[in-house]
Amino acid sequence: MTDLLHDIMASSDQRWRYPATIGLLSDPVRPSPDLQLAQAVALDLAKPPDTAETAAEQLIGDGDFAAADELISGASLGDQLDEALRKARESALRDVDRRHNELLERSKRCEGEAVERRRLASLCHTRRAASETALADWQERIEETEQNYALQLEERLLAVAGTSTPVWVEAVLTCIKAREFPAANMMLDGPPDAGTPGGPLGVPYGQERWPWPHLGLTDILAWYENPDAEPPPDFVNRWRPDPRTDPVGSRLVRALQEMCGELSLSTVQTFADALDELLGFESTRHTAEETESGIRTTINGLQDPRFTRIAIPASWALLVGSSGPPPENDDPSQVTVWLELTPSEAAAPLPRGVVRMLPELLYRLLARGAGAGPMSTSERRINLLRALCRQLPLQQLFPEQGGIQPTSAHELRDDMAWLLDLLGVRARGAVVDALCYDTAGYRPAIIAALESLLAGGGNRPRELTMTDIAEWRRSREALVDFRGRVFQALMSELDVAAVSLAALALQDNEPDRRFGENEVREWLGIFAGDGSEPVTAVLPDFESSLRRAVSAGILRHSGEQYGFRGPGLAAMLGDDVEGYVEETLNELRQQHQLVLEQVNLQMRNETLSSSLHTMKTDLHELRTALKQAIGTDSLDIASSALVTGAERAAKIEKRCAELVIARGQEMLVNERVDVGELLEELRRGFESKNPARLTVTVRAPEEPLVIFASRYLVRLAIENLMTNAMQAQDGPEFAVASIGLTLTNQPIAIAGTQVDCAVIDVEDDGPGVAEHVAASINSGKVLPERPNGLGRGIDFTRAHIARFGGRLYLVGRSSAMNGAHFRVQLPLSEEPDREEVNEGERI
C-alpha cells in the first residue's frame, strides 16, 4: 500500500488535499503500517484542507517539514510560509539538540552508546516525529544499560560493604539509586571513607525535622545530660550522641549547656571551639566581642574543597544572642550566622547577609547517621551549609562577576549540582544537564536562569523538575529577561561583545561550527558596511579581542578556530543579535572618535614643534618669494613669485598632514607594554618639567606587569589624569603638588568572569572632586560634552583605556592623600594558547 500511495501522490497535482498522508509517507526512519496509512487517508478525506496554504500550515504544525517544503516550493506558496517553515525547523532542531545533550550526558554516566547529533538533526529536518522516534529508541536502550550498570555497581558495593561504615554504604547506594554513577564509581574506586562522599547526592541529608519543636532549649538540654530527666526512647536511640563513639558531639552539647546557663565571652568562645571541632576544623582559640545584638565570634569549619567556584566564605561571623530584632550586617558581602538561643515566635525578616541558626539545627547535626554511629564530619559540614545557604540570595553564593571558571563539562555539572543543593533545591540528573547546556557555564547566564526558575527567599522551591525547565524555555517573558541580562553582561566590555556577538551570529544553529579570525572580521565588516567608520579602525586588534572573549568564558577555541561557548546558550540567545551588534559598534565608533580627536591634537602639536627646524628652509623660501612679488613692478615676476609661494605653502601643508597621519597611525599600533616602566617614565618626565613644584611617587611590584596596548594611548591616558591632578593643586595653599601612582595585579570582572588586570591608582593631595562631577565621571557613558565645566580630558582618558578592554572610574576621596582617587584597570597581556582542545570535554 505504501508503494501505491507513493506513486499516486507523486503524480497527483492535488496531493496537497492529503496532508496527513503525505506527512506519513515522508518518514525517513521506517515505512508506516498499512493501517496507519489508511487512517491518514480517511482523516484527509473527512477533513480536507481548504487550500494548499492551509495544507502547508498543517504540515508545518505537525512537523512534517520535508513534505511542507516540497508543497510550498512546488506550488509557489510564497515567502511567508517559507519563513514559518524555517522558524519551525529551527525550533524543532533546538529541542532535538537539547534532548540529545541530556541523553548523551546520561549515556556517558553509564558508559553507554552515543548517537550522532547530525543524524538526529537530519531526521528532524525531514520529519520531527522521526527524530522523536530515534530519541525514544535511544532512551530505551540507555535505561536498559543503566539498569545493568546499577546492578554491577551494587555487586561491587556488596563485596566491600562488610569492611565499610554504614554511612559510606548509604551514600554509595544514594548515588546508584539517583543514577549518579560517576560519583558512585569514585567512591568505590577509593577506600570506604565516610568522610569523602562523591558529589552532592553522595552526602545523605540529616534528620529533616526535629520532632519536638514545641519544647524550649532548657528542657531539651536536660534530655542530653540530666540523669533525672526521662527523654523519649526515640531521642535516646536517634538524637543523643554517644560519648564513646561521638565525643565531639558530646562536647558541643556541654558547651551549649554552659552558654545557655551563662551567656559570656568565655562560654561563647568555648561553644565556637566545639562547633569548629564538630565541623572538622581544629582552630586556635576564638576571640569574642560584645555588641548591641549579642556576642560576636566566628565559625571556621565550613570550608569545603568542592566549592572552589562557589563563593562559600572562608570564615563566617557567629552572633549569639537571645530573642530580639535581627542584627544589622555592616558588610553585606559577608555572612553573619545569628544563633537565637530563645527564638521569637514570629520570625522577623533578615537583612541581606544574615542567616538564622536555631538550636534545633544543632540537634539535627548531633543526630546519629545510618546504623548506630554519628554522622561523618563531612555530612555535618554539608548539612549545616545546606541549612544556612538556603537562606542566602543566589548572588551571594554565586556572584555574577568573578570566580574560577570550570574547565570541563564534568566540573561544570558538579558545580551546578552543588549550587542547587546548597540553595536547598533538589534536582535530578537531567535537570542539571539541561541547566549546564542552556547556560554553558557562563556565570551571568547561570544567575539569570536560576533567579528566574527559583524565584527568591521563602518562595524558592524544594525541587526543580524538567517540567519547570520546559515551561521556562517556553516562556517568552522569561527568555526576553534571560537574553537581556546576558547581553548586558557581554556589553560591559565592548570589544569582547563585538566579537562574541559576531561568533553567535556565525554559529547560526550549527552547534559544531568553528570559524577563524578572518570570518569574524568579515562578518562585522559586512554588517557595518554602511559607509561609517570601518570595523578595522574601531577594533584594530581582532586577535587580542578574541583572546579576551576566550578568557571571559564566552568563546572557546581549538588551534586557530573559534566557536561560541555552547550550542544551548547560542540557541537561547539566538534573537535580537543584530540590534546589540549595532549598539556595540556605535559605542565603539564613539570611543574611536574621541581617541582620534586627542591623538590628532597631540600629533599636530608634536609635529609642529619637532618638525619646525625641517620646515625653516621652506618658510624662508616662501618669504623670499613673497617679497619678490611685493617689491617688483613686473607682473610676470610677481605672478611667478606668487606661484612659487603657493607651491611652497602647499608643500609645507602636505608635509604636516603626512607627518600627522603617519605619526598617528604609528601611535595606535598595539605592543607589549611594561606598565611599571611606563609609570616610572611618566614620573621622571613630570618632575623634570616641574622642578620644585611637583613630587610624584610610584609604588609597583618587582615583577613586571605587561599589557598589550598602544603605549602612546596608555601614556596619554595617565598623563591626562596627572595633568588634572596638577591643575587641581594650582593655588597658594598648595606649595608643592603631590601625585601618587600605585600599580597592582588584581583579578577584575571582565564580561562576567575574573581576569587578571594591571590596576593603576592615581591619587593626589588636592581638593578632591565635586559630587555632581563624580556622578558624571562614573556614569559609564562616553559623552561628546559634559556639563558643569568639566574638561574633555576624562572623556579622552576613558576612550583610550576602553580601547584595550580597560576601565576608568573615580574611587572617591583618597584615603592616603586626601585628594581625588582615580583607578585604571587594564587586562594583562595573554599569549595565544594554541594547544588543541578536546571539545568533548570542554564546556
Side-chain angles (χ1 to χ4, degrees):
M1 181 174 177
T2 304
D3 293 339
L4 175 63
L5 283 173
H6 264 298
D7 293 341
I8 293 172
M9 293 301 170
S11 59
S12 172
D13 59 357
Q14 298 294 307
R15 57 184 177 277
W16 59 267
R17 298 181 181 277
Y18 304 92
T21 305
I22 61 177
L24 279 177
L25 292 173
S26 68
D27 194 330
V29 176
R30 60 189 69 171
S32 301
D34 288 350
L35 177 59
Q36 194 174 359
L37 282 169
Q39 290 172 340
V41 172
L43 178 64
D44 289 333
L45 290 173
K47 293 183 178 180
D50 298 330
T51 63
E53 286 82 357
T54 306
E57 289 171 356
Q58 180 178 329
L59 288 169
I60 293 171
D62 292 341
D64 295 321
F65 302 134
D69 194 9
E70 182 183 358
L71 178 58
I72 293 168
S73 57
S76 302
L77 298 182
D79 295 339
Q80 190 172 353
L81 283 171
D82 268 332
E83 180 65 13
L85 176 59
R86 183 188 67 79
K87 287 185 176 180
R89 270 179 166 155
E90 285 182 0
S91 176
L93 284 168
R94 282 196 292 267
D95 290 341
V96 164
D97 202 44
R98 289 167 175 154
R99 184 77 178 121
H100 170 264
N101 180 74
E102 291 161 13
L103 290 177
L104 180 62
E105 294 302 320
R106 189 171 164 184
S107 184
K108 285 179 183 177
R109 286 195 285 278
C110 65
E111 300 179 4
E113 64 168 339
V115 171
E116 189 183 357
R117 198 201 72 86
R118 290 181 182 275
R119 173 174 172 267
L120 289 171
S122 175
L123 293 175
C124 183
H125 197 265
T126 304
R127 191 166 189 262
R128 187 173 58 205
S131 63
E132 291 170 355
T133 298
L135 285 167
D137 291 345
W138 185 24
Q139 179 173 341
E140 189 177 332
R141 295 194 298 274
I142 288 173
E143 288 170 353
E144 184 179 352
T145 305
E146 284 177 337
Q147 188 173 356
N148 294 332
Y149 200 72
L151 290 173
Q152 294 174 24
L153 292 176
E154 286 173 5
E155 289 175 2
R156 288 182 61 192
L157 176 61
L158 185 61
V160 296
T163 60
S164 61
T165 64
V167 173
W168 182 84
V169 172
E170 182 185 355
V172 178
L173 279 173
T174 300
C175 293
I176 295 173
K177 289 176 182 176
R179 298 301 190 248
E180 293 292 336
F181 298 126
N185 259 320
M186 184 181 74
M187 296 177 73
L188 288 167
D189 288 341
D193 180 4
T196 55
L201 289 174
V203 183
Y205 276 78
Q207 189 75 20
E208 283 296 317
R209 296 184 61 187
W210 171 245
W212 302 281
H214 55 286
L215 295 178
L217 179 61
T218 305
D219 296 330
I220 298 299
L221 288 176
W223 287 0
Y224 281 105
E225 293 292 333
N226 188 346
D228 295 329
E230 296 183 359
D234 239 12
F235 176 83
V236 176
N237 298 332
R238 300 187 61 190
W239 296 93
R240 186 164 67 188
D242 186 337
R244 294 168 299 177
T245 59
D246 189 12
V248 178
S250 298
R251 276 196 290 276
L252 182 68
V253 170
R254 287 195 296 273
L256 187 58
Q257 285 178 322
E258 291 175 6
M259 190 171 62
C260 182
E262 180 192 359
L263 186 60
S264 65
L265 297 178
S266 174
T267 57
V268 170
Q269 287 173 344
T270 302
F271 171 77
D273 282 332
L275 183 56
D276 276 4
E277 189 178 0
L278 188 83
L279 301 172
F281 189 89
E282 299 291 341
S283 68
T284 56
R285 184 168 179 79
H286 287 75
T287 59
E289 61 177 353
E290 292 187 5
T291 69
E292 292 181 1
S293 303
I295 298 177
R296 183 180 292 269
T297 182
T298 56
I299 308 176
N300 298 313
L302 287 174
Q303 301 93 328
D304 194 284
R306 287 161 290 199
F307 302 143
T308 54
R309 286 166 291 273
I310 300 171
I312 301 294
S315 179
W316 300 56
L318 175 65
L319 181 67
V320 184
S322 56
S323 60
E328 292 297 326
N329 189 9
D330 297 332
D331 186 0
S333 66
Q334 300 300 313
V335 178
T336 297
V337 179
W338 181 31
L339 173 57
E340 289 183 275
L341 294 178
T342 55
S344 54
E345 293 184 7
L350 298 177
R352 178 181 172 86
V354 178
V355 295
R356 183 179 273 109
M357 182 164 70
L358 300 177
E360 67 179 56
L361 174 55
L362 297 174
Y363 307 152
R364 295 208 303 267
L365 295 179
L366 296 171
R368 301 184 189 188
M375 287 188 198
S376 68
T377 299
S378 177
E379 281 183 276
R380 283 170 166 165
R381 182 170 62 246
I382 299 303
N383 278 311
L384 179 56
L385 280 169
R386 281 169 169 159
L388 300 180
C389 290
R390 180 175 171 80
Q391 303 174 54
L392 292 172
L394 171 62
Q395 291 228 27
Q396 197 154 5
L397 279 178
F398 196 75
E400 186 167 322
Q401 305 287 359
I404 304 170
Q405 290 184 56
T407 57
S408 69
H410 171 74
E411 279 188 353
L412 170 60
R413 189 178 184 283
D414 204 41
D415 287 350
M416 187 73 77
W418 272 119
L419 180 60
L420 289 169
D421 188 66
L422 292 175
L423 290 170
V425 179
R426 300 195 186 190
R428 298 298 177 185
V431 171
V432 178
D433 292 335
L435 284 171
C436 292
Y437 184 71
D438 286 345
T439 63
Y442 184 45
R443 295 181 79 91
I446 293 174
I447 293 290
L450 290 183
E451 285 191 344
S452 179
L453 283 162
L454 303 182
N459 297 323
R460 190 176 289 157
R462 287 283 179 182
E463 184 172 6
L464 192 63
T465 67
M466 281 306 298
T467 302
D468 299 325
I469 299 287
E471 289 177 357
W472 174 67
R473 286 168 172 169
R474 285 194 295 265
S475 169
R476 177 67 183 170
E477 182 181 349
L479 286 187
V480 168
D481 177 70
F482 176 82
R483 289 170 183 146
R485 293 186 60 173
V486 175
F487 283 135
Q488 183 180 13
L490 279 177
M491 294 182 68
S492 64
E493 309 295 332
L494 293 176
D495 68 322
V496 171
V499 297
S500 300
L501 293 170
L504 177 58
L506 284 167
Q507 191 135 338
D508 193 27
N509 290 310
E510 296 181 37
D512 302 322
R513 184 171 180 189
R514 299 290 178 269
F515 33 80
E517 176 186 332
N518 287 337
E519 288 180 82
V520 180
R521 189 194 308 271
E522 288 170 6
W523 188 89
L524 284 171
I526 293 170
F527 185 86
D530 54 1
S532 56
E533 196 74 41
V535 172
T536 50
V538 299
L539 277 175
D541 188 358
F542 262 71
E543 189 176 13
S544 176
S545 298
L546 286 166
R547 286 203 307 272
R548 281 168 30 77
V550 172
S551 297
I554 304 160
L555 299 187
R556 55 184 179 177
H557 72 119
S558 174
E560 299 293 330
Q561 297 293 302
Y562 294 85
F564 198 74
R565 175 123 179 147
L569 182 58
M572 297 289 285
L573 300 177
D575 293 346
D576 307 324
V577 175
E578 294 189 355
Y580 284 101
V581 174
E582 185 173 353
E583 182 181 343
T584 302
L585 292 178
N586 284 340
E587 290 199 33
L588 282 168
R589 288 188 183 111
Q590 197 174 24
Q591 285 182 357
H592 181 64
Q593 288 304 318
L594 282 169
V595 169
L596 293 184
E597 187 176 337
Q598 189 177 25
V599 168
N600 286 337
L601 288 172
Q602 294 290 116
M603 290 300 102
R604 290 180 193 279
N605 292 337
E606 291 181 18
T607 300
L608 288 174
S609 60
S610 63
S611 304
L612 184 59
H613 180 74
T614 309
M615 292 186 285
K616 277 184 178 179
T617 303
D618 292 328
L619 290 170
H620 178 72
E621 292 179 3
L622 174 60
R623 186 170 58 250
T624 301
L626 292 174
K627 282 183 178 180
Q628 288 177 354
I630 295 170
T632 182
D633 294 331
S634 169
L635 288 175
D636 290 340
I637 295 175
S639 175
S640 175
L642 288 173
V643 169
T644 302
E647 290 174 351
R648 296 294 183 192
K651 183 179 178 182
I652 294 171
E653 184 181 359
K654 182 180 179 183
R655 181 174 298 174
C656 285
E658 287 175 348
L659 285 170
V660 168
I661 293 171
R663 181 75 171 153
Q665 289 175 343
E666 179 186 336
M667 290 299 96
L668 295 180
V669 173
N670 289 354
E671 58 183 307
R672 291 172 63 83
V673 180
D674 184 327
V675 183
E677 181 185 282
L678 179 61
L679 295 183
E680 278 293 339
E681 183 183 312
L682 283 167
R683 180 190 65 79
R684 291 192 299 268
F686 265 71
E687 287 186 339
S688 65
K689 291 177 183 178
N690 303 274
R693 167 75 180 91
L694 173 70
T695 61
V696 180
T697 58
V698 176
R699 292 182 295 274
E702 293 183 4
E703 297 253 338
L705 295 183
V706 178
I707 62 174
F708 190 70
S710 160
R711 182 184 182 86
Y712 180 79
L713 288 183
V714 175
R715 180 191 175 100
L716 203 54
I718 307 303
E719 275 183 353
N720 288 339
L721 295 175
M722 294 176 71
T723 300
N724 285 349
M726 282 190 62
Q727 291 172 349
Q729 299 174 80
D730 188 14
E733 68 272 31
F734 300 105
V736 178
S738 299
I739 299 175
L741 304 176
T742 305
L743 175 65
T744 53
N745 179 0
Q746 297 179 21
I748 304 297
I750 299 290
T753 302
Q754 284 188 345
V755 175
D756 285 338
C757 288
V759 177
I760 308 164
D761 289 289
V762 182
E763 300 169 84
D764 64 60
D765 199 17
V769 178
E771 188 175 338
H772 64 277
V773 176
S776 178
I777 291 172
N778 285 333
S779 65
K781 295 293 183 181
V782 177
L783 304 175
E785 295 181 4
R786 286 190 184 278
N788 308 316
L790 188 67
R792 300 298 305 283
I794 295 296
D795 282 338
F796 290 144
T797 299
R798 181 183 286 109
H800 303 336
I801 292 167
R803 187 178 181 88
F804 314 112
R807 292 178 183 170
L808 165 73
Y809 62 95
L810 176 64
V811 177
R813 185 168 288 278
S814 167
S815 59
M817 302 184 68
N818 202 41
H821 181 181
F822 285 89
R823 178 165 291 165
V824 173
Q825 300 167 342
L826 285 164
L828 293 179
S829 174
E830 286 192 6
E831 293 298 326
D833 180 9
R834 299 303 181 192
E835 294 181 5
E836 292 295 324
V837 177
N838 181 352
E839 295 291 355
E841 288 299 315
R842 289 302 293 262
I843 298 166

